Every structure is written in structure tokens, then in C-alpha cells.
Amino acid sequence: MLSARLFIHSADRPVQDAWPHLDADDAHAVPMPPDASVADQTRMLLDDARTARSVVFAHSLRAVPAVLAAESGQIAGLVLVEPALYDLVRGVSSAERHIAIVSDARALAAAGDLHGSWAMLRPLMFGGALDETRWDAESSVAERWATSEVPWGHGVRRRMLSGIPALVVTGGWNEEYEAIAAVLVSLGATYRVLSGASHRPQDLPGFAPIVADFEARLPG
């Protein structure tokens, strides 16, 4: 028997805000502290999933611990929204470009140039150039992105998804996420595109019917 949905989300965002079009009444949230390592996130997820086979919902960076935990046998299905599973697409030009820019930006920050780092990271991560009038408001965000753990180099492998039903949803706007989705589809994942919300397609009303259709086809 499946448990209630298991949602991974940032500790500073309530589950209702992180997944606004899903009924959270039967959901169990696993809030992840922003400074938690991927290894710690994986352990936290496994602690919550150990008593029942769970359908895990993960967005972006949180897809990494979700997949790492998938070998436990406690995960009955994965709903991966714009999953940042870069370990699956190493060698793909768009992914390598992204990794190179992030690496260079983090090196700038480590050398003391947080402003220059954010000038590189902001358009890559959020689709808009640095606005000098917003620098004071965004500097703390810049620092977090310059120092938080990156989503590659964690040993995510295709075998971890073997036999696990998965739904991958993207916004259809980013080459890296489409390349990652293509790998997941080759492993048997169901793939859907919801355009209009960039990196957060779960914010659109059409997300809930896609999830309902996926869950209806899961083994009982």
C-alpha cells in the first residue's frame, strides 16, 4: 500500500506554497534546511520513507536526494519537477556550459567578488541580468547560491531509477532540464511539459491533473 505523498521542499517555504495546486491534507512534508548537505537530505528523506512505500515529490535540486534514496526500496514512485540531475547528462554541451559558469561564479565569490559572482549566476539561474537597484536586496541570495552545495558530483546513476515509476515535468524553457528529461524518459519515465511558469511548472493549475493521472497508474 502506498503512503501519503512525501514532499521535499525548502525549510523556509510551507508545503502549500511549494506545491500550490496539490491537496496537501494527506501529504507529509520533509523540509530541508538550506544548508543541509545532499547526504544529510538523503538521510532525512529515508528516515521519513522507512515505514511505508512512498511517492516522493521533488523540485530542482531536491531531485538529487530523491533519486539517491530510490535504492532503498521504500519509494514507490517519483514526481520530479525540473530535476537538477546533472550527473545524468555529463558531457552534454548545455549541461557542461551550466556547470562551467557556476564553477567560475563560485570561484569569484570565494575570491571575495560576490557582486561579480551574482552577475554571472543571476541570468543563468533566474533568467534576468543583475539589477543594481536590487543588489542590496539580493546580496543574501547571491551568497547562498555561491556557497550552497551544487547538484552534481553526488553519484546519481541511471540504475538508481531502475523499476521505479517516475513522472518528470518541465517548463519547456531550458536546454539542461530537457536533456535531463530525455534521459529519464529513456529509463521509462512519463514526461510532460507545462509551459508558462519557467522553473516552477507546479505553480500552474495543469500540474494537478498530470499528477493524478500518474498516480492512478501506479501499482497498488
Side-chain angles (χ1 to χ4, degrees):
M1 178 177 292
L2 301 181
S3 73
R5 297 160 169 168
L6 192 59
F7 293 87
I8 314 176
H9 66 290
S10 297
D12 58 354
R13 182 190 285 264
V15 66
Q16 294 85 355
D17 294 340
W19 305 91
H21 291 287
L22 295 180
D23 183 359
D25 290 343
D26 65 346
H28 180 68
V30 186
M32 300 288 184
D35 59 349
S37 69
V38 167
D40 286 342
Q41 293 174 34
T42 305
R43 284 192 291 270
M44 292 167 66
L45 177 56
L46 286 173
D47 283 345
D48 277 272
R50 64 188 173 188
T51 58
R53 299 182 71 233
S54 305
V55 178
V56 176
F57 288 67
H59 172 235
S60 191
L61 306 175
R62 306 305 185 192
V64 176
V67 171
L68 290 174
E71 290 185 300
S72 68
Q74 297 300 316
I75 293 176
L78 293 167
V79 177
L80 305 175
V81 182
E82 296 249 316
L85 299 171
Y86 283 86
D87 282 341
L88 297 181
V89 288
R90 293 308 304 258
V92 174
S93 60
S94 59
E96 293 300 332
R97 174 183 175 274
H98 179 100
I99 291 169
I101 292 173
V102 171
S103 299
D104 288 348
R106 289 165 68 90
L108 270 182
D113 186 2
L114 184 63
H115 183 278
S117 172
W118 190 233
M120 296 177 68
L121 280 179
R122 196 187 196 291
L124 181 73
M125 306 299 297
F126 298 99
L130 188 155
D131 181 346
E132 295 295 346
T133 65
R134 294 186 55 80
W135 169 239
D136 287 344
E138 293 184 352
S139 60
S140 61
V141 180
E143 184 171 5
R144 178 166 64 86
W145 279 99
T147 57
S148 60
E149 202 167 12
V150 294
W152 49 85
H154 300 290
V156 171
R157 298 293 181 263
R158 298 184 182 204
R159 59 176 169 74
M160 295 174 177
L161 293 149
S162 177
I164 300 176
L167 167 67
V168 56
V169 181
T170 71
W173 66 287
N174 179 284
E175 286 186 48
E176 300 103 77
Y177 291 120
E178 298 311 305
I180 292 166
V183 172
L184 294 173
V185 169
S186 75
L187 298 173
T190 299
Y191 173 46
R192 298 289 183 267
V193 176
L194 277 177
S195 58
S198 298
H199 190 45
R200 288 190 52 85
Q202 69 266 44
D203 288 345
L204 298 173
F207 182 69
I210 289 173
V211 169
D213 179 67
F214 171 71
E215 290 181 323
R217 292 183 285 109
L218 288 173

